[in-house]
Amino acid sequence: MNLDFTEINQPFSNTIQISGKNYLYFGGTAYLGIPQNKAFINLYVEGIKKFGLNNGTSRSNNIQLGIYKHAEAVAAQRFGSEAALITSSGYLAAQLTVNQLAAFGTVIYAPSTHPALWVENQINHTNKFVDWSIETVELINSSPKKNWVLISNSMNNIMPEIYDFNFLNKVDKDKSIILIVDDSHGIGINNEGLGAYSALPKLANVENVVVASMAKALGVDAGIVLGSASIIEQLKRTNTFVGASPPAAAGLYAFVYAEEIYQKAIQKLYGNISIFEKGLISKCDYAKNFPAFLFHNTDFANQLLNQQILISSFPYPGTNNLSINRVIISSWHTEDQINMLLSAIS
C-alpha cells in the first residue's frame, strides 16, 4: 500500500480514518488515552474558561497566576518528591536541569540517553544498561574525583526495559552524585503511576532529580522536574526558568483535578495490557505493565497495515536504521479492538 500517514488532519484516537477507511491505531504515546478522555477534556475546558487560552508572561513577573505553584505542589505530593518545577515542555525541563547541574562534577551518560538531556553531542552507547552500571561503579570507585553527575533515561521504551538504579548502593559513600533521570515514558504509568522518582534508591550521597515530559501519559503540554527543595529552588533561579513563558494554565488546572481520572485510566490500561499479553502467541519483548510490545518481524507493520491496523514503525535511532515495530496499547482501546489486533497477529 502507498498510503501517506504523515499528514493526518484529525485527533489521534483508537481509530484513524484515511481515504474513507477506518484503521485501528496502536501507536503513539497517549498511554492513558487522556487526549480522548471526556472527563479530562471537560476539566481542560473549565481551565480555559477560568484562565484563558495561554499565558505569555514570565514566571518572574510581579503579577502571576496561582495555578502554577499549586500544580507544582500537587505534582510533588503526587509523585513523591520534596518539590517540583513545571515548564512549557519536557525538552525545556531537561535542558534547564542538565545545563545547570552538569557543572557539579564529571558527567557520565547511560546508554541511549534521550538527546534532550545532552549538554553536547554524545556517543551513542550500544552496551546494555546493566553492563554500563557495573562499569560506572568501577570507574567512580577507582577515581580520585569526588563529584559525579549521572544522566540516564528511567527506561528504554523501545525495547522495552525499566532500569534498576540500585547499583548506586555499591558506590563508595565518600563520592557525591547527582542522578538525573528522564522519566518521560514512565511517569503516570510505571510504579502504579508514580513514575521513577519514588522508586529511586534514597542514599545520603546521591541527589535524585527526575525530569519528564507531561505530554505523554499525563496528556498535558508541559515539562516537569522533581527533586529536593534546594535543587528546585536552584533551578528556579536560572535565566532559562525566569525568562521562559509557562505552559497553558488550563492544562495544569486539568492535571491538578484529574487524579481520579488518571487512576481509572491506569487501571484500564493495566487491564488492556493483561488482555493482550494473555492472547499473544507471537514472540515479542515487553516489560511488566508497560504498554509497548516490540516485534522483531521486519515486515510486521506492513502485514498489519493490510488488515487496516496501524502500529508504531519507524527507523531508530537514525533514519538509516531498520524500522522498529512496536504495538502500543492504550487506555482508549476496547477489549474488542485488542482481540481484533490479536486475531490479525495470529
Side-chain angles (χ1 to χ4, degrees):
M1 294 185 182
N2 293 317
L3 294 172
D4 182 9
F5 297 101
T6 62
E7 296 188 14
I8 293 171
N9 61 357
Q10 60 194 279
F12 284 116
S13 183
N14 52 17
T15 61
I16 296 175
Q17 189 175 82
I18 303 289
S19 300
K21 289 185 177 180
N22 283 322
Y23 292 80
L24 288 179
Y25 179 56
F26 289 92
T29 60
Y31 304 125
L32 297 181
I34 295 301
Q36 293 293 340
N37 186 299
K38 291 182 180 178
F40 191 90
I41 291 171
N42 287 340
L43 280 177
Y44 205 110
V45 172
E46 280 183 30
I48 291 174
K49 290 178 179 178
K50 188 175 181 66
F51 297 111
L53 288 174
N54 78 318
N55 175 18
T57 63
S58 165
R59 288 288 300 274
S60 63
N61 198 294
N62 65 317
I63 302 171
Q64 297 185 40
L65 294 174
I67 188 65
Y68 294 109
K69 284 187 177 179
H70 183 39
E72 288 169 341
V74 168
Q77 186 276 328
R78 193 174 291 176
F79 300 123
S81 65
E82 197 172 74
L85 175 159
I86 291 177
T87 65
S88 59
S89 73
Y91 178 82
L92 182 60
Q95 283 289 293
L96 162 68
T97 301
V98 296
N99 284 322
Q100 178 65 21
L101 301 182
F104 173 78
T106 302
V107 176
I108 304 179
Y109 280 91
S112 302
T113 299
H114 196 281
L117 291 160
W118 293 359
V119 178
E120 54 190 30
N121 288 339
Q122 299 298 317
I123 297 172
N124 202 2
H125 299 287
T126 56
N127 52 335
K128 294 182 178 179
F129 181 87
V130 65
D131 296 329
W132 170 84
S133 68
I134 295 170
E135 294 169 3
T136 298
V137 171
E138 292 175 351
L139 174 62
I140 294 174
N141 288 346
S142 63
S143 172
K145 297 177 180 178
K146 296 297 184 182
N147 295 343
W148 300 82
V149 180
L150 305 187
I151 304 177
S152 175
N153 298 340
S154 66
M155 65 178 300
N156 184 333
N157 64 296
I158 300 293
M159 291 310 152
E161 175 191 5
I162 299 171
Y163 296 147
D164 184 352
F165 290 90
N166 283 309
F167 71 89
L168 291 170
N169 285 284
K170 299 177 182 178
V171 173
D172 291 344
K173 302 308 176 188
D174 64 336
K175 307 291 185 177
S176 295
I177 295 173
I178 294 180
L179 173 66
I180 302 174
V181 175
D182 186 336
D183 196 33
S184 294
H185 289 274
I187 195 167
I189 301 176
N190 293 338
N191 192 21
E192 297 295 322
L194 298 178
Y197 193 88
S198 62
L200 293 174
K202 307 299 185 288
L203 302 169
N205 62 325
V206 179
E207 181 86 58
N208 294 324
V209 182
V210 166
V211 302
S213 166
M214 299 175 71
K216 296 174 172 47
L218 300 176
V220 177
D221 289 324
I224 190 168
V225 185
L226 303 170
S228 65
S230 61
I231 285 287
I232 295 301
E233 183 58 33
Q234 179 183 344
L235 296 177
K236 284 189 172 182
R237 289 196 300 266
T238 62
N239 291 336
T240 303
F241 181 79
V242 169
S245 296
L252 296 184
Y253 175 86
F255 165 77
V256 165
Y257 295 103
E259 187 167 12
E260 185 177 345
I261 294 170
Y262 286 130
Q263 287 301 315
K264 287 181 179 178
I266 196 171
Q267 294 310 313
K268 176 73 173 355
L269 176 64
Y270 287 168
N272 283 350
I273 291 171
S274 178
I275 292 169
F276 188 65
E277 285 179 346
K278 289 176 182 176
L280 268 177
I281 61 172
S282 297
K283 180 173 172 53
C284 66
D285 294 329
Y286 59 94
K288 180 176 174 58
N289 281 339
F290 190 74
F293 295 78
L294 174 67
F295 290 82
H296 297 282
N297 176 356
T298 55
D299 198 42
F300 186 66
N302 286 328
Q303 292 170 1
L304 292 180
L305 181 58
N306 289 331
Q307 300 181 72
Q308 293 178 220
I309 296 175
L310 289 170
I311 66 168
S312 178
S313 179
F314 56 90
Y316 190 88
T319 55
N320 294 324
N321 293 87
L322 294 175
S323 290
I324 299 292
N325 294 313
R326 293 179 302 146
V327 166
I328 309 296
I329 303 297
S330 171
S331 299
W332 61 28
H333 291 121
T334 66
E335 184 172 354
D336 285 345
Q337 289 171 335
I338 295 171
N339 286 328
M340 289 172 68
L341 172 62
L342 288 167
S343 178
I345 291 174
S346 65

